[in-house]
Amino acid sequence: MNRGFVFLFIIFLGSWSPAEAEVNYSSSAHADSSYGVQRTGLGHYAQGNCAHCHEQHASVENNQAQNFLVFSQTDPTNTAPYSESENFCFQCHASLVVNYDYSTVFGGHQEASGSGGASPESILEAFNKAHSHDLDDIYNHAINHPDQFPWFTEASNPCTACHNPHLARRNHNNPDNPVLSVMSLPDEHLSLYGDGDGDGDSSDGDEGSAVSERMNKWSAAPVYISPNNEPAPVDTPDYNTFCLYCHSAPVAISNDDRPYYHGGTVGQLLAIDWEDNGGDGVQSGTYIVPGDKHGYNTATSYAAVEAPFNIYGTSNVPGDVMLSCTNCHEAHGSENDYMHRRWINNTALGVVITGVTNEAGAHCVPCHTEDPDGGWKQTHHGADVVDGEVLFQNDNPYVANAHAGCTYCHGATQRSDPDFPIPCEDCHFHGSYVDENDKYTAAGQAAGVKYVKPDKSPYRRKTF
């Protein structure tokens, strides 16, 4: 062996710390000798070998090597529906590799249609659902934000904006093990995200991060509580930090089918403020929208919720509970609007939700207690009283019977009227708030307001 090579090799080993060696290609899902990458016709290469994805001087199958020497191209400008040939990752993550959705892998629900949709069986199928992360939007966001994605080039695959294929691990066989992470933060692309427990020690299988990358970091108010039938906080990656890397600011989208209220811009998803507190609404001048109630923002009153989130029982005390993005949403795609999961809090939606309809509240019912007669009547009109006992005083912004009939809010007098139900999304969505206007005023209509101004102040308050 050449002595110069030996010298360089020793230097290389000396610069390779154990923390960096903890997660590398040899420990990734693609490198596994049992279920890793394996291209048909290349049996002379061991399963997991680099050659199953990368051409060697375009000589393996006499193919013309593409960018990064992969054997198939990726067209980042294509929009759904996608085909296997349009993205290199779909060459395997379509018919060859089974990948179920979050409801299945981490919630244990692999049901057929009728329970809020059917689980996709591949990543390609997930991206071809009615509502998905558009890969061209992801590509454009990454290429237009080089400060956030410094390694991303015009030749990069949009899937790599969230995943490092040389590090990502296989987690569906052991969903309670956060070390088996599939994600990499864009500004830490050479590390996995979600595997670090914050102890700074890599000997326990993670990358020895000094700051916790899991949801148990929220152990004081607001506390993170795992939904029914899902991994414990210590076993759940901090998906909020991961998702908000992009969604803490407005994100440009090409599929313009979402509502835009209160100053939202057509062609952009509203920014999600998951970390700011406050929001009782006592403000003057230009309204500063406080953070989401499902995030760090402290509750302003009590709203009846289902277990395990009813941590204060029936008392009239705010329950400061934080959720994870994946408690409600799928990462790749879903048949339901806004990529809502088929099962939430171990409860089936019971219907496929398409668009903002009167059925959209189906994704709220799994956590928010529904009145016996439906429609959260007591929540919005007054206390919930059973046999003379006040079970809880809800956050009721409207005074019962203060208006002539139901028309003022509902636009109809009979519950059988299709115009009577009020979709939850008319008032509750990321970025929503209540101000002095309502849907009957010119100012409210100009701002796209869908709600009726509450009877009770303060009007300026967060509604989600």
Side-chain angles (χ1 to χ4, degrees):
M1 180 182 288
N2 183 283
R3 291 182 180 181
F5 177 81
V6 173
F7 176 71
L8 289 174
F9 186 66
I10 292 174
I11 291 178
F12 174 73
L13 286 178
S15 65
W16 195 24
S17 70
E20 293 171 330
E22 201 64 44
V23 175
N24 50 47
Y25 181 67
S26 64
S27 61
S28 72
H30 289 143
D32 192 271
S33 60
S34 299
Y35 51 78
V37 290
Q38 186 173 32
R39 190 169 13 148
T40 302
L42 297 184
H44 48 292
Y45 286 102
Q47 187 164 1
N49 189 282
C50 305
H52 290 295
C53 290
H54 299 281
E55 293 290 328
Q56 300 164 33
H57 313 292
S59 62
V60 175
E61 289 185 341
N62 295 319
N63 293 325
Q64 180 180 355
Q66 306 295 324
N67 293 312
F68 305 106
L69 294 181
V70 293
F71 67 80
S72 178
Q73 68 174 347
T74 292
D75 186 349
T77 64
N78 285 346
T79 58
Y82 302 100
S83 65
E84 291 187 25
S85 62
E86 291 176 340
N87 187 298
F88 175 73
C89 299
F90 293 155
Q91 294 286 338
C92 294
H93 289 279
S95 57
L96 297 179
V97 179
V98 175
N99 292 109
Y100 296 116
D101 61 11
Y102 195 95
S103 290
T104 296
V105 176
F106 297 97
H109 299 291
Q110 186 180 335
E111 290 77 15
S113 299
S115 58
S119 172
E121 295 190 0
S122 69
I123 301 298
L124 172 61
E125 184 181 351
F127 275 106
N128 281 337
K129 292 289 188 180
H131 302 273
S132 67
H133 264 121
D134 294 317
L135 289 172
D136 60 316
D137 289 342
I138 295 174
Y139 175 84
N140 289 327
H141 183 81
I143 206 70
N144 291 328
H145 293 81
D147 56 325
Q148 292 181 293
F149 298 82
W151 49 270
F152 200 90
T153 72
E154 292 184 355
S156 294
N157 187 305
C159 298
T160 64
C162 296
H163 307 283
N164 184 328
H166 298 126
L167 301 181
R169 292 178 165 181
R170 186 192 195 197
N171 58 19
H172 69 79
N173 61 318
N174 190 2
D176 290 322
N177 186 356
V179 172
L180 301 178
S181 172
V182 300
M183 308 174 297
S184 291
L185 275 174
D187 60 349
E188 296 179 0
H189 190 64
L190 298 182
S191 299
L192 288 177
Y193 183 76
D195 63 335
D197 57 10
D199 64 1
D201 181 7
S202 62
S203 65
D204 50 6
D206 62 34
E207 292 174 301
S209 60
V211 178
S212 176
E213 299 173 349
R214 305 177 192 174
M215 288 305 294
N216 65 322
K217 67 194 297 183
W218 307 104
S219 57
V223 61
Y224 174 73
I225 300 176
S226 297
N228 289 316
N229 204 45
E230 295 194 16
V234 70
D235 298 326
T236 303
D238 179 12
Y239 291 108
N240 294 339
T241 296
F242 187 84
C243 298
L244 291 172
Y245 188 89
C246 294
H247 287 284
S248 60
V251 177
I253 57 172
S254 56
N255 183 15
D256 192 21
D257 62 351
R258 285 86 166 180
Y260 308 93
Y261 307 141
H262 300 297
T265 303
V266 174
Q268 289 185 350
L269 286 177
L270 289 170
I272 299 175
D273 187 349
W274 210 247
E275 297 184 353
D276 285 339
N277 201 353
D280 60 2
V282 183
Q283 298 183 24
S284 61
T286 302
Y287 183 62
I288 301 175
V289 181
D292 278 3
K293 293 296 183 185
H294 288 162
Y296 191 79
N297 195 1
T298 305
T300 48
S301 186
Y302 186 82
V305 292
E306 300 284 1
F309 306 111
N310 55 346
I311 57 177
Y312 296 113
T314 59
S315 63
N316 186 25
V317 178
D320 294 331
V321 176
M322 171 178 277
L323 299 184
S324 168
C325 303
T326 52
N327 292 163
C328 298
H329 301 283
E330 293 291 347
H332 296 128
S334 167
E335 294 178 59
N336 299 296
D337 69 337
Y338 303 99
M339 301 194 299
H340 279 118
R341 289 172 42 177
R342 302 174 298 115
W343 285 74
I344 296 175
N345 196 24
N346 204 32
T347 303
L349 295 191
V351 63
V352 174
I353 304 169
T354 303
V356 180
T357 70
N358 292 336
E359 295 177 334
H363 59 250
C364 303
V365 176
C367 298
H368 290 272
T369 302
E370 188 175 14
D371 305 318
D373 59 351
W376 300 280
K377 180 179 177 180
Q378 282 79 23
T379 297
H380 293 86
H381 299 98
D384 190 2
V385 181
V386 177
D387 296 330
E389 178 185 1
V390 178
L391 298 183
F392 42 75
Q393 181 71 35
N394 275 307
D395 186 9
N396 50 305
Y398 301 96
V399 178
N401 302 319
H403 308 286
C406 306
T407 308
Y408 179 73
C409 293
H410 292 272
T413 58
Q414 301 294 325
R415 296 192 61 174
S416 59
D417 193 304
D419 294 329
F420 189 91
I422 301 175
C424 299
E425 279 83 353
D426 279 5
C427 302
H428 303 280
F429 52 90
H430 294 303
S432 69
Y433 62 91
V434 171
D435 58 21
E436 291 85 349
N437 299 309
D438 65 30
K439 64 182 181 181
Y440 294 121
T441 66
Q445 292 169 7
V449 173
K450 297 289 186 177
Y451 58 81
V452 177
K453 181 178 67 175
D455 300 306
K456 297 182 179 182
S457 62
Y459 301 137
R460 294 183 166 191
R461 66 184 303 172
K462 191 72 178 179
T463 59
F464 182 3

